[in-house]
Amino acid sequence: MIKRNLLVVGFEISLLFSFVVGYYRGHTLIADKTCAELQVNNSSVICVCNATYCDTVTREEPHPRRFMVYTSSKAGLRFKKFTSILEVFDLCKVTECSTTLELEPRKRYQTIHGFGGAITDSAAINWSNLKDEELKQNLIESYCGDSGIQYNMLRVPIGGTDFSPRFYTYQDYPERDKDLSNFTLAPEDLNYKLPMIKACMKASNDSIDILGSLWYPPAWMKSTKKSNGISFLEEEYYDALALYHLKFIKEYYKQGVPIWGITTTNEPLSGITKHANDNVLGWSVYGLANWIVNYLAPKIKRYDPSIKILGVDDQRFTVPLWFNAALKHVPELGRAIDGIGLHYYENELVPPEIVDRCFKNYPNLFVLSSEASIHSQTNNKVDLGSWDRAEKYIKNIIEDLNHNYTAWIDWNVCLDKMGGPVLSKTYLDSPVIVDPDAGVFYKQPLFYAMGHFSKFIPKGSKRIQSVEKYNCGDPIKHVAFSTPMNTIVVVVFNDKNKEKVVRLKLGYSQAKVLLEKNSIATVEFHNDVIDESCDCEK
């Protein structure tokens, strides 16, 4: 149980040490505000933010021939900084257990679009419930500012979702109006979602790409005339639903929020399964492909060819259904979409190689992760301080990036202490939990898990080849990139309850990194090769 007096103590301790400057071998690091940590039960720590104090992280520009390490751990480290000298990689000193990640920047793969989360009604309402403007700004800066984890992608629902206070669309009335003459943004957009999105856009020094997703259309377009339950779109409204998306894009643009891309319906499989009690829309394979090719894509691309259209927007195991089978019915689908969005759920059931195989013949398309969240089947509530949940995100992000995903977008950016509000009562966890009554919000381990990628792998980075060698234990989970700043970034995850030394080899230079037990580390150094080697033979 969280005690209010513990919050005060935590803030006092952090204030004492927040501006301490670290010195490592003569190099001064930028002083960040440290985590106002609070231990919760037997979990890891959460970091508490109030109106006057919130922890920060600043990316250090690596010095020539040095490397930077940022570490977060189950024991409570949060972006702890360390710098040291790049050494000469000496093959003569390598042993069987000298775990080495050999980097090859000339072997490149996908280009990164970015990382982010969703501005749902629930998230934006929770943010709005923080009455102190400085506290609200601290949450925005934590996500989108230079002193935060620098999200550059935001997903926004097109109308209501299960994480909304009510069922609504942008034209509930008049019914059967195919021209959508009364299409109007909802109070949830104007009072909550748009202000939060604009605050993020203002805080960011990078452009923020907005991805729109529809959960369900006006009920009068559906076969059952209900917002929820198993249903399909009536064929007579195929063009009207395409127009619905276009009007959303235009209305958001009028509000100063350009749309980067749209998905072609959130989790269409849910609309024809037991999950249909939520506000959803079901599709047949042919129906969805036909609608995209002949209605949605022509209307959107005529308006703005740069807007991305992403198919599937469902679990990984549905790719053969919504992509492969759909292409057999409507081959033009491969040219009508720009890529696909996949959800995190049930990933353990289907290996990521299924995506590689599906995309083998479509090199023009990209894949991103468009939604992720965590809850327990036995306890759906928020689990404050859970490192296990952070581990799940870390492992999935590394796996996805190593299989050519170009972006990774989380679900609700913030929820209340119950994991809501939510219509379906299916409460979820979130990287940030707000407590308006206490005048604080809590940064979960999930927040730092996301930040180890979003903060240090900017848009335009390219994944590079990284091969593990000289390891006598379990493989180290990792992924490596070259960035637009001509640096190398490697994210390494140690899921063992003991420390481990890993060498990151680039040419004849190496960064020798000590991984804390149960930790994630992001390492960055310049993309330069030391032209030296040992003259032994081995």
Side-chain angles (χ1 to χ4, degrees):
M1 182 176 178
I2 298 174
K3 304 291 186 181
R4 291 293 298 273
N5 61 333
L6 288 178
L7 298 181
V8 175
V9 171
F11 284 128
E12 289 176 347
I13 293 172
S14 293
L15 285 169
L16 285 172
F17 293 102
S18 62
F19 296 105
V20 174
V21 178
Y23 291 91
Y24 294 102
R25 301 187 185 181
H27 285 264
T28 304
L29 301 180
I30 298 170
D32 289 313
K33 294 181 180 179
T34 58
C35 167
E37 65 179 58
L38 183 64
Q39 188 77 42
V40 183
N41 298 326
N42 296 318
S43 301
S44 186
V45 303
I46 56 176
C47 300
V48 189
C49 294
N50 66 10
T52 60
Y53 187 88
C54 195
D55 58 290
T56 61
V57 56
T58 307
R59 173 189 169 269
E60 305 277 349
E61 177 65 31
H63 289 276
R65 304 191 75 166
R66 299 185 70 88
F67 64 92
M68 281 297 309
V69 184
Y70 307 82
T71 300
S72 298
S73 69
K74 183 177 182 179
L77 299 179
R78 296 294 180 262
F79 292 129
K80 178 187 176 183
K81 295 179 181 179
F82 174 78
T83 183
S84 190
I85 297 171
L86 287 168
E87 303 171 351
V88 174
F89 181 80
D90 190 347
L91 190 60
C92 306
K93 298 180 180 179
V94 171
T95 66
E96 287 185 359
C97 296
S98 300
T99 302
T100 302
L101 303 181
E102 196 167 273
L103 308 172
E104 179 45 82
R106 290 168 294 188
K107 181 68 173 177
R108 299 185 176 190
Y109 303 95
Q110 79 273 25
T111 301
I112 295 299
H113 286 113
F115 301 86
I119 307 294
T120 61
D121 291 336
S122 294
I125 289 169
N126 283 323
W127 175 68
S128 181
N129 286 341
L130 298 172
K131 298 307 180 184
D132 190 292
E133 290 301 319
E134 291 299 322
L135 181 59
K136 291 172 67 177
Q137 188 58 31
N138 279 343
L139 194 154
I140 294 296
E141 288 289 336
S142 292
Y143 269 123
C144 300
D146 283 353
S147 63
I149 60 175
Q150 294 181 264
Y151 272 9
N152 68 340
M153 299 190 79
L154 296 173
R155 186 177 183 225
V156 61
I158 302 174
T161 74
D162 47 330
F163 278 84
S164 295
R166 62 189 178 99
F167 291 101
Y168 72 91
T169 71
Y170 295 136
Q171 186 168 321
D172 292 323
Y173 301 98
E175 297 182 355
R176 303 185 65 83
D177 174 15
K178 296 180 181 180
D179 294 328
L180 304 178
S181 57
N182 191 39
F183 186 99
T184 308
L185 293 181
E188 286 83 355
D189 294 275
L190 300 173
N191 299 330
Y192 301 110
K193 287 186 287 191
L194 280 165
M196 190 174 191
I197 291 170
K198 290 179 181 179
C200 281
M201 292 170 67
K202 184 177 180 180
S204 176
N205 283 322
D206 192 5
S207 61
I208 291 185
D209 293 330
I210 310 297
L211 179 65
S213 295
L214 175 83
W215 264 246
Y216 60 107
W220 51 267
M221 292 187 186
K222 299 174 70 176
S223 57
T224 59
K225 310 306 177 189
K226 296 180 180 180
S227 296
N228 62 343
I230 293 175
S231 62
F232 298 90
L233 187 73
E234 295 279 16
E235 193 167 350
E236 65 176 302
Y237 296 117
Y238 275 22
D239 189 64
L241 185 59
L243 179 62
Y244 190 88
H245 284 76
L246 180 58
K247 281 181 173 283
F248 164 77
I249 291 169
K250 289 181 175 180
E251 289 300 316
Y252 260 59
Y253 185 81
K254 288 179 185 177
Q255 296 293 327
V257 178
I259 299 299
W260 172 81
I262 57 172
T263 68
T264 56
T265 299
N266 179 77
E267 296 186 357
L269 189 62
S270 294
I272 54 176
T273 66
K274 64 178 182 178
H275 297 291
N277 287 329
D278 291 335
N279 32 7
V280 291
L281 174 65
W283 286 97
S284 68
V285 173
Y286 172 74
L288 181 56
N290 175 37
W291 175 69
I292 294 170
V293 169
N294 295 308
Y295 297 91
L296 180 67
K299 201 173 290 290
I300 299 303
K301 293 297 186 179
R302 275 198 301 267
Y303 171 72
D304 185 348
S306 71
I307 293 175
K308 311 300 181 187
I309 298 177
L310 305 184
V312 185
D313 203 20
D314 213 327
Q315 273 63 265
R316 184 191 287 167
F317 68 80
T318 69
V319 170
L321 178 69
W322 301 122
F323 187 71
N324 299 77
L327 280 164
K328 289 181 179 179
H329 284 290
V330 186
E332 297 86 356
L333 181 64
R335 296 188 296 274
I337 62 176
D338 297 282
I340 66 172
L342 296 179
H343 291 193
Y344 152 99
Y345 318 109
E346 322 298 345
N347 271 0
E348 67 276 7
L349 301 179
V350 180
E353 286 78 11
I354 191 173
V355 180
D356 300 333
R357 288 196 293 270
C358 291
F359 272 68
K360 185 177 180 180
N361 297 322
Y362 298 91
N364 59 310
L365 302 181
F366 64 86
V367 58
L368 56 75
S369 181
S370 50
E371 184 179 314
S373 62
I374 294 181
H375 70 280
S376 168
Q377 296 298 326
T378 56
N379 182 4
N380 288 341
K381 296 181 180 180
V382 169
D383 189 2
L384 286 175
S386 172
W387 184 256
D388 290 341
R389 293 184 172 187
E391 277 199 5
K392 290 180 180 179
Y393 265 34
I394 293 165
K395 290 177 180 178
N396 270 270
I397 296 172
I398 289 176
E399 178 182 77
D400 288 346
L401 293 175
N402 276 318
H403 286 273
N404 296 309
Y405 284 53
T406 65
W408 216 88
I409 303 173
D410 190 27
W411 189 210
N412 300 277
V413 294
C414 62
L415 293 173
D416 63 23
K417 292 186 292 182
M418 285 293 294
V422 56
L423 279 173
S424 63
K425 307 304 178 185
T426 306
Y427 298 101
L428 298 176
D429 214 333
S430 175
V432 169
I433 301 300
V434 302
D435 187 350
D437 293 336
V440 299
F441 63 84
Y442 310 117
K443 293 180 182 178
Q444 293 267 56
L446 283 169
F447 176 87
Y448 300 92
M450 288 293 300
H452 273 274
F453 301 90
S454 62
K455 177 76 179 180
F456 306 102
I457 308 171
K459 185 186 304 181
S461 298
K462 293 182 181 293
R463 183 168 66 88
I464 63 172
Q465 179 175 284
S466 54
V467 179
E468 185 173 354
K469 294 184 175 182
Y470 315 117
N471 186 7
C472 58
D474 293 333
I476 287 287
K477 293 176 174 60
H478 69 280
V479 64
F481 298 87
S482 62
T483 75
M485 297 89 72
N486 195 37
T487 63
I488 299 294
V489 170
V490 186
V491 182
V492 191
F493 179 52
N494 179 17
D495 60 356
K496 304 302 180 185
N497 196 33
K498 60 180 179 180
E499 296 177 342
K500 186 175 183 66
V501 174
V502 174
R503 293 166 173 81
L504 309 181
K505 178 181 179 293
L506 179 64
Y508 291 111
S509 63
Q510 71 169 6
K512 191 174 179 181
V513 180
L514 174 64
L515 300 177
E516 303 284 345
K517 61 183 182 181
N518 299 306
S519 71
I520 179 172
T522 301
V523 187
E524 184 174 21
F525 47 88
H526 282 288
N527 187 7
D528 299 318
V529 176
I530 299 175
D531 293 324
E532 300 177 39
S533 64
C534 68
D535 35 358
C536 68
E537 294 183 3
K538 191 168 183 176

